[in-house]
Amino acid sequence: MDITSDIHSQHISRQFNHELEELKTHLMAMGGLVEKQVQDAVSALLEGDSSLAERVVDNDRAVNDMQIKIDDECTRVLARRQPAASDLRLVLAVIRAASDLERIGDEASKIARNAIELIDNNVGGRGFVEVRIISEHVRRMMRDALTSFARFDTELALQVVQEDEQVDNEYQTAMRSLMTFMMEDARSISPVLGIMWILRALERVGDHANNLAEYVVYLVKGLDIRHTDPDDLDQELGES
Amino acid sequence: MDITSDIHSQHISRQFNHELEELKTHLMAMGGLVEKQVQDAVSALLEGDSSLAERVVDNDRAVNDMQIKIDDECTRVLARRQPAASDLRLVLAVIRAASDLERIGDEASKIARNAIELIDNNVGGRGFVEVRIISEHVRRMMRDALTSFARFDTELALQVVQEDEQVDNEYQTAMRSLMTFMMEDARSISPVLGIMWILRALERVGDHANNLAEYVVYLVKGLDIRHTDPDDLDQELGES
C-alpha cells in the first residue's frame, strides 16, 4: 500500500470511528432525556404537579423524534460503511437500544397520564412510597445500563440484569399490598388501580433497562471474538 | 462486463434474493407460532385448561430461539451482502418485526401464567366475553399485519393501524366495566385483576401488531425511493 492510500484509509477509518462515537453520543443523549421523562413523570405524581405531567406527555414526541434520527443515522452508517464484526454489532445494538429507550419514553408518558388523572381526582398518598422506591431503583438501573453501554462494561451490565429480579420482587410485594387496600376499601379501587398501572409501567422500565444491559453483553461478546482464531471468526460471522 | 462475470453476478443476486426470501419465510413461521401462542393462552383460560397454559409458558423458549435465529441470519446477511436501499430496509424491518413478535410471545406467556392462577382458584367467567372479543380482534390484526408484511401491502397495513384504535376503545370499555364489578363485590377484586392483566396483555399484542404494520409502510416507502431521481436517492441514503 502506498503512503497516499494509507493516509486515505486512515482518514476513512478515523471518520468511521467518529461516526460510531456519534451514534453512541446520540444514544446517550436520548437516554438522558428518557431518564428525565421518567423522573419528571414520577415527581409530577408525588408532588401533585399536573402541568409537569402534561409536559412529560408533550415531550414524548421529542423522544420519538430522537429514535427516528438515531435509526436514520444507523441506516446511513450501514449503507455507507458496510461495517462488519463488532462494528456491525455496535450499530445493531444502538438500533435495539434506541427502540427500548423509546418504549421507556412511552412508559413515562403512561405514568404521566395516570398521574394527571390521579391529581385531578385529588387522590391521597396511598402507594406513593412504593412508587418512589421502585422508580429510584429502575432509574438507577437505566443509568447503569447506559453507562455500561458507553463503557462496554459487562460487569456493570450483569449487575443491572441481577437488579431486575429485585425490582420484580419489589413490584410483586407492592401489588399484593395494594390489592389488600382495595379489598378493605372499595372507594380506593379506582385510585389504587391508577397507582398499579404506574407501578407496572415502572416495572417495564426495569425490563427495558435489563434489555439495554443484555445488548452490552452481546456487544462485548462480539468484541471478544476479535481475539479468537480467524477461522472460527469467519464461521461465527458466517462470512464463508 | 463480460458474459462470465455477468452470469456470476446474476448468480450472486439470485442467491441474495433467495436469502431475503428466506428471512421473510422465517419471520412468517415465527409469526405463526406466536399467533398460536396467543390463541392457546386464551383458549386455556376460556376452557379452564391448565396443561395447555403450561405448554404456552414452556413454548416461549421456542419463540425466543426463533428470534435469536432470525437475528443471526439478519446479521449474517448484513455482514456478507452489505445490502443497500430497500434491501437494507427489509433486513432492518425483519429485525424489528422479530423483536415485536418476541414481545407478543412474552404477552402470550403472561396471559397463560395469569390463566393458570385463575384456573387454580376456580374463577368463574367474569370478563371472559371481553377477553374473547378482544383476543379475536388482536389476532386478526396480527394475521393481517404479517400478511401485509409478506405482500408489502400498505393498504392492509394501514387498516391494521386503524383497527388498533378500535381495540384501544374496546379495552377501555372492558376495563371500566370490570372496575364496576370490583367495586360491587370485594371478593371479585383478585380474580378480576387477573382478567385485567390479561386484557392489558392483549391490548399490547394489538400495539405490537400495529408496530408490524408500521414497518411495512416504512419498507414500502423505501421501495418507492427506487423510482425517484438517483440524485435524490443518494441524498436520501446519505451515500454522498
Side-chain angles (χ1 to χ4, degrees), chain A residues 46-62:
Chain A
L46 299 181
E47 293 158 21
D49 185 345
S50 285
S51 63
L52 180 59
E54 269 155 24
R55 277 207 299 283
V56 171
V57 174
D58 290 343
N59 277 344
D60 194 40
R61 182 183 291 269

Side-chain angles (χ1 to χ4, degrees), chain A residues 14-235:
Chain A
R14 211 165 35 230
Q15 186 114 347
F16 181 31
N17 282 334
H18 174 71
E19 283 176 21
L20 292 179
E21 277 306 312
E22 282 271 290
L23 281 183
K24 273 170 70 179
T25 305
H26 294 158
L27 186 73
M28 294 305 134
M30 184 179 178
L33 174 59
V34 164
E35 196 198 321
K36 189 166 182 311
Q37 286 281 90
V38 174
Q39 181 174 4
D40 285 350
V42 170
S43 298
L45 172 75
L46 299 181
E47 293 158 21
D49 185 345
S50 285
S51 63
L52 180 59
E54 269 155 24
R55 277 207 299 283
V56 171
V57 174
D58 290 343
N59 277 344
D60 194 40
R61 182 183 291 269
V63 174
N64 295 343
D65 287 348
M66 277 175 115
Q67 189 201 5
I68 291 170
K69 201 172 147 250
I70 289 172
D71 270 2
D72 283 351
E73 272 182 83
C74 287
T75 309
R76 256 202 309 275
V77 168
L78 287 173
R80 188 157 34 170
R81 302 290 182 188
Q82 301 166 340
S86 65
D87 293 335
L88 176 57
R89 278 169 198 255
L90 173 61
V91 178
L92 293 177
V94 169
I95 290 176
R96 292 195 174 105
S99 161
D100 278 277
L101 289 177
E102 190 267 337
R103 286 164 207 244
I104 293 178
D106 284 348
E107 300 300 335
S109 190
K110 277 185 211 161
I111 293 168
R113 265 193 290 263
N114 275 292
I116 291 168
E117 216 180 295
L118 288 166
I119 296 165
D120 281 353
N121 293 311
N122 206 6
V123 168
R126 194 155 276 174
F128 279 22
V129 175
E130 289 85 348
V131 168
R132 184 165 39 232
I133 291 171
I134 295 181
S135 76
E136 276 166 11
H137 206 156
V138 297
R139 273 169 44 218
R140 194 169 61 240
M141 281 175 70
M142 268 187 74
R143 264 199 307 275
D144 287 348
L146 287 166
T147 305
S148 74
F149 202 113
R151 297 185 194 153
F152 296 146
D153 181 343
T154 45
E155 210 166 305
L156 187 56
L158 288 171
Q159 201 178 303
V160 172
V161 173
Q162 278 158 2
E163 285 203 39
D164 194 34
E165 269 180 56
Q166 286 174 37
V167 168
D168 287 349
N169 288 336
E170 287 169 10
Y171 167 74
Q172 294 299 346
T173 307
M175 292 304 265
R176 270 194 297 273
S177 102
L178 288 173
M179 203 155 74
T180 309
F181 280 136
M182 278 184 167
M183 290 179 182
E184 284 166 357
D185 177 9
R187 288 165 305 172
S188 78
I189 290 177
S190 173
V192 169
L193 261 180
I195 296 289
M196 281 180 161
W197 297 135
I198 287 173
L199 286 173
R200 162 130 300 184
L202 288 172
E203 186 255 350
R204 291 196 64 85
V205 171
D207 288 345
H208 289 297
N210 180 68
N211 290 347
L212 290 173
E214 282 178 1
Y215 303 146
V216 177
V217 178
Y218 157 89
L219 252 178
V220 177
K221 264 194 200 161
L223 290 176
D224 280 346
I225 285 171
R226 283 183 160 178
H227 305 292
T228 60
D229 190 83
D231 281 1
D232 299 339
L233 185 66
D234 281 355
Q235 206 182 354

Side-chain angles (χ1 to χ4, degrees), chain B residues 75-180:
Chain B
T75 309
R76 255 201 310 275
V77 168
L78 287 174
R80 185 150 46 161
R81 302 291 182 185
Q82 302 167 338
S86 65
D87 292 335
L88 176 57
R89 277 170 199 255
L90 174 60
V91 178
L92 293 177
V94 169
I95 290 177
R96 292 193 175 108
S99 160
D100 278 277
L101 288 176
E102 191 267 336
R103 286 163 207 243
I104 293 177
D106 284 348
E107 300 299 336
S109 190
K110 277 184 212 164
I111 294 168
R113 265 193 290 263
N114 275 292
I116 291 169
E117 216 180 295
L118 287 166
I119 296 165
D120 282 354
N121 293 310
N122 206 7
V123 168
R126 194 154 276 175
F128 279 22
V129 175
E130 287 86 349
V131 169
R132 184 164 41 231
I133 292 172
I134 294 180
S135 76
E136 276 165 11
H137 206 157
V138 297
R139 273 169 44 219
R140 194 169 63 241
M141 280 174 69
M142 267 188 74
R143 264 200 307 276
D144 287 348
L146 288 166
T147 305
S148 74
F149 202 114
R151 297 185 193 154
F152 296 146
D153 182 342
T154 44
E155 212 167 303
L156 187 56
L158 289 171
Q159 202 177 303
V160 172
V161 173
Q162 279 157 1
E163 285 203 38
D164 195 34
E165 270 180 55
Q166 286 174 38
V167 168
D168 287 349
N169 288 334
E170 287 169 11
Y171 167 74
Q172 294 297 346
T173 307
M175 293 303 267
R176 270 194 296 272
S177 102
L178 288 173
M179 203 154 75
T180 310

Side-chain angles (χ1 to χ4, degrees), chain B residues 6-228:
Chain B
D6 194 30
I7 288 171
H8 180 69
S9 96
Q10 272 180 27
H11 173 73
I12 295 278
S13 141
R14 213 167 34 231
Q15 185 114 348
F16 180 31
N17 282 333
H18 175 71
E19 283 176 20
L20 293 179
E21 276 306 312
E22 282 271 291
L23 281 183
K24 272 170 71 178
T25 306
H26 293 158
L27 186 73
M28 294 305 133
M30 184 179 179
L33 174 59
V34 164
E35 197 199 319
K36 191 168 180 308
Q37 286 281 90
V38 175
Q39 181 174 3
D40 285 349
V42 170
S43 299
L45 171 76
L46 299 180
E47 292 158 20
D49 185 345
S50 286
S51 63
L52 180 59
E54 269 156 22
R55 278 207 298 284
V56 171
V57 174
D58 290 343
N59 276 344
D60 194 41
R61 182 182 293 269
V63 174
N64 295 343
D65 287 348
M66 279 175 113
Q67 190 201 5
I68 290 170
K69 202 172 145 248
I70 289 173
D71 269 2
D72 283 351
E73 272 181 82
C74 287
T75 309
R76 255 201 310 275
V77 168
L78 287 174
R80 185 150 46 161
R81 302 291 182 185
Q82 302 167 338
S86 65
D87 292 335
L88 176 57
R89 277 170 199 255
L90 174 60
V91 178
L92 293 177
V94 169
I95 290 177
R96 292 193 175 108
S99 160
D100 278 277
L101 288 176
E102 191 267 336
R103 286 163 207 243
I104 293 177
D106 284 348
E107 300 299 336
S109 190
K110 277 184 212 164
I111 294 168
R113 265 193 290 263
N114 275 292
I116 291 169
E117 216 180 295
L118 287 166
I119 296 165
D120 282 354
N121 293 310
N122 206 7
V123 168
R126 194 154 276 175
F128 279 22
V129 175
E130 287 86 349
V131 169
R132 184 164 41 231
I133 292 172
I134 294 180
S135 76
E136 276 165 11
H137 206 157
V138 297
R139 273 169 44 219
R140 194 169 63 241
M141 280 174 69
M142 267 188 74
R143 264 200 307 276
D144 287 348
L146 288 166
T147 305
S148 74
F149 202 114
R151 297 185 193 154
F152 296 146
D153 182 342
T154 44
E155 212 167 303
L156 187 56
L158 289 171
Q159 202 177 303
V160 172
V161 173
Q162 279 157 1
E163 285 203 38
D164 195 34
E165 270 180 55
Q166 286 174 38
V167 168
D168 287 349
N169 288 334
E170 287 169 11
Y171 167 74
Q172 294 297 346
T173 307
M175 293 303 267
R176 270 194 296 272
S177 102
L178 288 173
M179 203 154 75
T180 310
F181 279 136
M182 278 184 166
M183 289 179 182
E184 285 166 357
D185 177 9
R187 286 165 308 170
S188 78
I189 289 176
S190 173
V192 168
L193 260 181
I195 296 289
M196 281 181 161
W197 298 135
I198 288 174
L199 287 173
R200 160 127 305 182
L202 289 171
E203 187 254 351
R204 290 197 64 84
V205 171
D207 287 345
H208 289 297
N210 181 67
N211 290 347
L212 290 174
E214 282 178 0
Y215 304 147
V216 177
V217 178
Y218 157 89
L219 252 179
V220 177
K221 265 194 202 159
L223 290 175
D224 279 347
I225 285 171
R226 282 184 160 177
H227 304 293
T228 60

